[in-house]
Amino acid sequence: MRLERIRPTVLRMVLHAHELATLMTAARCVAEANPAEVPDSAREELRALLRDYDQQLRCLDTTVSDETDRSRSG
């Protein structure tokens, strides 16, 4: 993993796919299991983050499929 500060409140993170999958799995566990020690507001933020992640992942899958289709037809 590599972190880079872009602006004071913006970071860029470079991860291997398995590292990102590990983080997202942990976030899903916390968001879905509702442990008492995690405030409701934090779980809601995790759920929002996971929704954004899932949406971006679908877009990424579409982009990869489109590129594969173009390379096969060219």
Side-chain angles (χ1 to χ4, degrees):
M1 174 182 18
R2 189 178 79 225
L3 291 174
E4 176 183 346
R5 186 172 302 280
I6 304 300
R7 293 189 298 272
T9 59
V10 177
L11 302 175
R12 176 179 297 148
M13 181 184 295
V14 178
L15 303 167
H16 287 276
H18 72 277
E19 292 170 321
L20 182 57
T22 299
L23 288 173
M24 292 299 114
T25 299
R28 284 187 206 285
C29 286
V30 171
E32 293 171 5
N34 296 322
E37 63 273 7
V38 178
D40 289 340
S41 60
R43 281 196 303 275
E44 285 305 315
E45 287 186 38
L46 275 176
R47 289 180 185 123
L49 174 89
L50 290 164
R51 279 192 300 274
D52 291 346
Y53 169 77
D54 290 340
Q55 179 183 2
Q56 290 296 309
L57 193 57
R58 283 191 296 276
C59 291
L60 187 62
D61 287 344
T62 301
T63 303
V64 170
S65 295
D66 291 346
E67 290 174 2
T68 302
D69 292 343
R70 279 195 297 268
S71 68
R72 288 180 184 166
S73 64

